[in-house]
Amino acid sequence: MLNDSINSLNPEQKKAVLTTEGPLLILAGAGSGKTRVLTHRIAYLIEQGVRPYNILAITFTNKAAREMKERVCAITPEGDDVWVSTFHSSCVRILRREADKMGYDSRFSIYDADDSERLIREILKGMNISDKVLKPSSVLAEISAQKDKLIGPEKYAKLTEKDFRLKKISDIYTAYQKHLKSNNAMDFDDLIYVCTELFRTRPDVLEKWQDRFRYILVDEYQDTNASQYRLVSMLAQKYGNLCVVGDDDQSIYGWRGADIRNILDFEKDFKDTVVIRLEQNYRSGANILNAANAVIKNNVMRKTKTLRTAAGAGNMLHFYRARSDIEESAFIAEKIAEGVSHGGRYSDYAILYRNNSLSRVLEEGLIRAGIPYRLFGGVRFYGRREIMDILSYLKAICNPGDDMPIRRIINVPKRGIGDTTVAKLAEAAEENGISFYTALLSADAVPSLKGKTKQLEKFAELLVDLRDKAESESVSELIEDILDDTGYRSELEKENTDEARGRLENLQELVNKAVEYEQDNENADLAGFLEEVALVADVDAYTDNADTAVLMTLHSSKGLEFPTVFIAAFEEGIFPGFRAITSGKASDMEEERRLCYVGITRAKEELYFTSARERMQYGSRVANLPSRFLEEIPPDIVEHLSDDRAATENRRSFAYGANRVRPKPVNSYRMPEPKQAVTDFGPGDKVRHIKFGIGTVAAMEEKRDGSFEITVDFDNMGRRTVNSAFANLKKV
């Protein structure tokens, strides 16, 4: 059966499956069947006598890992014993066994971005540094970047001695790592950083895991950063059987640390590498592939390859230039409605854009047309307030040595324990060299807490009781007990609003998630559940079983495919972005071009580029030229849709309504300068927006012009990013 399946592969795919020994670089173009190659390669290794136990396959998302595991198991029953997981999940599994050698307990907590940012904010407060002088999100990004480059606090301190600002960040980095260690916690970046440090400092441990993983396969290798590269190199050093699969033309994450040189220099780093190119595309028609090839060939930093297909030319590509962004959204909605009326499904359509801020007008166009849609990339389920609250209870139960979750929930629901009391308790813990939890259990011995001991004792008893229940209950049962015993559920039921009911539904979904976890894992426990939740990526939330159109950024679309794709706002200054145009760095423009390549190759049958002669940006209507990438596509495969007067007037009527004032045309291509704006709020504060309603400020980033780019999690509209100069947010 396996031989028949291998023989059905094309020559390049077959060679990639049968080349089992030594370093192998598989350059897999978009839609070239790389997952099929990887799964068959694993099955073939097992058939050749390699123990499944000795095979490690690394992916970048849990979704990809699940798909690969399922497909391997469908080919061979022994596939279940192969270790298939993401980089971070692999490191967690190793560290659960080896953490004691790095000074951690095996039940260490994993901090998400919100946990880390709260800790940074507390450290800033302790150092008397304003979070407007040093933004917690910016500090955290710098620390993350250093960990990705395997630069620890001590080395970073030496590198930043002569820079006042970076020296401050260095001090924060040192304090941050100290707090994590004392809380028996690691952040997301630590999982790989600590694992590589373990291997570097303990050769005996490294050799143990090298003997375990004699055959290593890495998917999406073009997206690896320095720490991931180092981890894989160390594990593969002894046996040399490293197979990496990737496409340098789809390297679009340089802004978050991915190093395209890892795949471009693979042959230099690993001697006697065999290189195989997968260029046969099984997704799109020739016109779409010709457009992708024509755009990407303008990049210099790439390995030459050309996508081809056995299918026909397929449909022409389409370019539509609307008079305004509102008419652009109306055109897209009209095309989707037209397709559905001819027997299509809403889920056949994806609208892709360069920046999240572009989604608003597109959403409004779909709403006016009555087209159901999903906005991919809004507030993460696990980032919602009520979910984070209950997860904090679970974290406090699992690892009471970690004070961050306890401090989050100590007054949730409200139980009369204010910030001053928490600060006094934290001070007592630090003075006595004990954990926050231990101090909580003996709060009656702290003189400064008199008057609050009753509330603190009651909360401590609640945690002790829940920890006792966790010993005998399943995770789903424990969540139900938390909701009941804390009064969290009853408080929302008493509130009796649409928002409260929505939050109750979200909490029920968390219970459902716990039940699914218990059904899927024979040895399900609380630590395992928290680990699985912590390692969920945004893309894992995407499913194609709902009949809705999809809106998402081009970055989020990587790895997905749709019958019809719209690339909206295909304009200079937006795509490619203004920074790439003005930076003067060829690498910036090349990454934008790779992003365009990714967007084009998401389309299976139909591809539209849309733009507007004018659109609202920074509070004013501006005009942008069509994207330069349009000029790189052969003109004979692009249909320029005419601005037929009757059709345009109908669309304008639909887009604006009878009494809507139409925007005046503008002639300038210069973007206006935003006004300065002073804010009286910061991250964590509640604000009101005239249209989006009430939300919580998640992050603020100061721009060069003095305004702030503000990210807000709105209660009813999800996450939005607005500019302080125009948004007129009010603190509530």
Side-chain angles (χ1 to χ4, degrees), residues 188-219:
F188 210 55
D189 299 303
D190 277 330
L191 299 176
I192 298 177
Y193 173 72
V194 174
C195 203
T196 54
E197 281 295 288
L198 169 69
F199 290 158
R200 184 182 67 82
T201 57
R202 292 293 300 267
D204 56 321
V205 176
L206 172 60
E207 186 171 18
K208 167 186 169 182
W209 289 97
Q210 287 173 334
D211 288 335
R212 167 72 190 268
F213 300 128
R214 303 188 179 205
Y215 291 84
I216 302 172
L217 301 88
V218 183
D219 194 11

Side-chain angles (χ1 to χ4, degrees), residues 542-610:
Y542 175 78
T543 59
D544 56 5
N545 53 11
D547 188 19
T548 62
V550 174
L551 289 90
M552 62 172 60
T553 64
L554 285 145
H555 282 97
S556 297
S557 72
K558 187 169 173 292
L560 303 175
E561 59 183 51
F562 306 90
T564 300
V565 167
F566 297 88
I567 300 181
F570 200 53
E571 302 162 17
E572 289 289 292
I574 296 178
F575 191 26
F578 185 72
R579 289 182 183 177
I581 293 172
T582 59
S583 72
K585 297 179 182 178
S587 59
D588 288 346
M589 186 57 70
E590 291 210 353
E591 181 146 330
E592 290 286 296
R593 189 173 281 110
R594 291 194 292 270
L595 188 59
C596 183
Y597 173 88
V598 167
I600 291 172
T601 54
R602 297 313 93 196
K604 296 166 68 175
E605 300 167 10
E606 206 85 60
L607 176 62
Y608 289 84
F609 302 102
T610 66

Side-chain angles (χ1 to χ4, degrees), residues 264-438:
L264 294 179
D265 295 342
F266 187 83
E267 297 145 275
K268 297 177 186 176
D269 298 337
F270 299 92
K271 293 182 180 180
D272 302 320
T273 293
V274 174
V275 181
I276 298 173
R277 287 172 167 79
L278 304 183
E279 299 172 300
Q280 181 76 31
N281 178 279
Y282 295 93
R283 176 187 298 159
S284 311
N287 283 337
I288 291 173
L289 299 184
N290 289 340
N293 290 329
V295 168
I296 203 63
K297 75 177 183 181
N298 292 286
N299 275 5
V300 175
M301 290 183 60
R302 66 183 296 259
K303 290 181 176 292
T304 304
K305 58 183 170 301
T306 303
L307 295 177
R308 62 180 188 275
T309 180
N315 297 314
M316 292 274 286
L317 280 62
H318 314 285
F319 175 68
Y320 177 74
R321 188 153 171 79
R323 298 189 188 186
S324 71
D325 50 351
I326 298 176
E327 287 187 22
E328 177 190 26
S329 69
F331 168 81
I332 293 172
E334 180 183 283
K335 287 298 175 184
I336 295 174
E338 183 181 296
V340 171
S341 70
H342 287 87
R345 290 170 53 84
Y346 291 114
S347 57
D348 293 340
Y349 298 90
I351 306 170
L352 311 181
Y353 37 83
R354 180 63 180 84
N355 305 311
N356 273 313
S357 60
L358 296 163
S359 69
R360 179 187 61 81
V361 175
L362 296 167
E363 283 185 78
E364 290 175 352
L366 297 181
I367 291 170
R368 281 192 295 265
I371 293 173
Y373 70 92
R374 285 176 293 160
L375 179 64
F376 183 74
V379 179
R380 293 175 63 245
F381 175 76
Y382 295 110
R384 297 180 187 276
R385 184 179 69 188
E386 61 274 13
I387 302 302
M388 292 173 68
D389 286 343
I390 302 308
L391 288 178
S392 290
Y393 271 101
L394 294 175
K395 291 174 184 178
I397 293 166
C398 183
N399 179 17
D402 183 1
D403 64 3
M404 290 299 291
I406 299 177
R407 293 179 67 163
R408 178 187 175 94
I409 58 172
I410 196 168
N411 200 39
V412 178
K414 293 188 183 302
R415 46 178 67 94
I417 304 174
D419 292 342
T420 302
T421 302
V422 173
K424 289 178 180 178
L425 191 60
E427 186 179 342
E430 188 170 348
E431 287 177 354
N432 292 279
I434 57 178
S435 70
F436 188 84
Y437 178 68
T438 303

